[in-house]
Short mmCIF file of all heavy atoms in Angstrom, two decimals:
data_model
loop_
_atom_site.label_atom_id
_atom_site.label_comp_id
_atom_site.label_asym_id
_atom_site.label_seq_id
_atom_site.Cartn_x
_atom_site.Cartn_y
_atom_site.Cartn_z
N CYS N 330 14.84 -31.57 -51.11
CA CYS N 330 15.91 -30.62 -51.37
C CYS N 330 17.15 -31.36 -51.70
O CYS N 330 17.49 -32.47 -51.33
CB CYS N 330 16.30 -29.72 -50.10
SG CYS N 330 14.87 -28.94 -49.38
N GLY N 331 18.08 -30.67 -52.54
CA GLY N 331 19.33 -31.11 -52.79
C GLY N 331 19.45 -32.52 -53.33
O GLY N 331 18.71 -32.89 -54.27
N THR N 332 20.33 -33.32 -52.74
CA THR N 332 20.43 -34.73 -53.18
C THR N 332 19.11 -35.45 -53.23
O THR N 332 18.77 -36.32 -54.02
CB THR N 332 21.52 -35.40 -52.33
OG1 THR N 332 22.76 -34.90 -52.85
CG2 THR N 332 21.57 -36.90 -52.54
N SER N 333 18.30 -35.27 -52.12
CA SER N 333 16.98 -36.02 -51.97
C SER N 333 16.11 -35.50 -53.10
O SER N 333 15.28 -36.34 -53.54
CB SER N 333 16.41 -35.63 -50.61
OG SER N 333 17.30 -36.12 -49.55
N SER N 377 13.88 -37.36 -47.47
CA SER N 377 14.83 -36.60 -46.62
C SER N 377 15.72 -37.62 -45.84
O SER N 377 15.30 -38.58 -45.30
CB SER N 377 14.17 -35.72 -45.63
OG SER N 377 15.05 -35.10 -44.76
N GLN N 378 17.05 -37.39 -45.90
CA GLN N 378 17.93 -38.18 -45.09
C GLN N 378 17.58 -37.90 -43.66
O GLN N 378 17.33 -38.82 -42.88
CB GLN N 378 19.38 -37.83 -45.44
CG GLN N 378 20.47 -38.73 -44.83
CD GLN N 378 20.67 -38.51 -43.31
OE1 GLN N 378 20.53 -39.40 -42.47
NE2 GLN N 378 20.92 -37.24 -42.89
N SER N 379 17.62 -36.68 -43.23
CA SER N 379 17.53 -36.34 -41.84
C SER N 379 16.09 -36.37 -41.33
O SER N 379 15.90 -36.62 -40.12
CB SER N 379 18.11 -34.90 -41.63
OG SER N 379 17.36 -33.96 -42.41
N THR N 382 14.90 -31.39 -42.46
CA THR N 382 15.29 -30.32 -43.21
C THR N 382 14.13 -29.30 -43.21
O THR N 382 12.95 -29.56 -43.55
CB THR N 382 15.53 -30.75 -44.70
OG1 THR N 382 16.61 -31.68 -44.55
CG2 THR N 382 15.79 -29.69 -45.59
N VAL N 429 28.99 -34.64 -44.81
CA VAL N 429 28.12 -33.59 -45.21
C VAL N 429 27.39 -34.06 -46.64
O VAL N 429 26.16 -33.88 -46.83
CB VAL N 429 28.62 -32.19 -45.18
CG1 VAL N 429 27.78 -31.23 -46.08
CG2 VAL N 429 28.62 -31.76 -43.75
N ALA N 430 28.31 -34.48 -47.44
CA ALA N 430 27.86 -34.85 -48.86
C ALA N 430 27.11 -36.21 -48.74
O ALA N 430 27.73 -37.24 -48.28
CB ALA N 430 28.97 -34.93 -49.78
N SER N 431 25.86 -36.19 -49.11
CA SER N 431 25.02 -37.35 -48.96
C SER N 431 25.43 -38.51 -49.98
O SER N 431 25.55 -38.21 -51.22
CB SER N 431 23.56 -37.03 -49.14
OG SER N 431 22.77 -38.00 -48.76
N LEU N 515 26.66 -32.06 -58.46
CA LEU N 515 26.44 -31.54 -57.10
C LEU N 515 27.60 -32.10 -56.09
O LEU N 515 28.20 -31.32 -55.44
CB LEU N 515 25.08 -31.91 -56.50
CG LEU N 515 24.81 -31.37 -55.09
CD1 LEU N 515 24.86 -29.97 -54.90
CD2 LEU N 515 23.47 -32.00 -54.60
N LYS N 516 27.78 -33.36 -56.28
CA LYS N 516 28.89 -33.95 -55.36
C LYS N 516 30.18 -33.33 -55.65
O LYS N 516 30.93 -32.87 -54.71
CB LYS N 516 29.06 -35.44 -55.56
CG LYS N 516 27.98 -36.39 -55.12
CD LYS N 516 27.95 -36.55 -53.55
CE LYS N 516 27.02 -35.60 -53.00
NZ LYS N 516 25.66 -35.89 -52.75
N GLU N 519 30.20 -29.51 -54.34
CA GLU N 519 30.15 -29.24 -52.90
C GLU N 519 31.38 -29.70 -52.12
O GLU N 519 31.72 -29.03 -51.19
CB GLU N 519 28.88 -29.80 -52.30
CG GLU N 519 28.88 -31.31 -52.13
CD GLU N 519 27.51 -31.80 -51.55
OE1 GLU N 519 27.03 -31.18 -50.65
OE2 GLU N 519 27.01 -32.92 -51.99
N VAL N 636 19.84 -29.40 -42.63
CA VAL N 636 19.71 -27.94 -42.68
C VAL N 636 18.42 -27.48 -42.02
O VAL N 636 17.35 -27.57 -42.78
CB VAL N 636 19.75 -27.44 -44.20
CG1 VAL N 636 19.68 -25.94 -44.36
CG2 VAL N 636 21.01 -27.94 -44.90
C1 F6R Q 1342 24.17 -32.89 -50.69
C2 F6R Q 1342 23.31 -32.98 -49.53
C3 F6R Q 1342 22.21 -32.10 -49.53
C4 F6R Q 1342 20.95 -32.69 -48.82
C5 F6R Q 1342 19.87 -31.68 -48.66
C6 F6R Q 1342 18.58 -32.23 -48.07
O1 F6R Q 1342 25.17 -33.89 -50.69
O2 F6R Q 1342 23.48 -33.82 -48.63
O3 F6R Q 1342 21.88 -31.51 -50.75
O4 F6R Q 1342 20.48 -33.68 -49.68
O5 F6R Q 1342 20.27 -30.67 -47.70
O6 F6R Q 1342 18.82 -32.96 -46.85
P1 F6R Q 1342 17.84 -34.09 -46.29
O7 F6R Q 1342 17.96 -35.18 -47.25
O8 F6R Q 1342 18.37 -34.41 -44.90
O9 F6R Q 1342 16.54 -33.47 -46.27
#
Side-chain angles (χ1 to χ4, degrees):
C330 304
T332 287
S333 297
S377 176
Q378 187 285 123
S379 60
T382 300
V429 162
S431 192
L515 177 64
K516 288 288 92 95
E519 70 183 323
V636 185

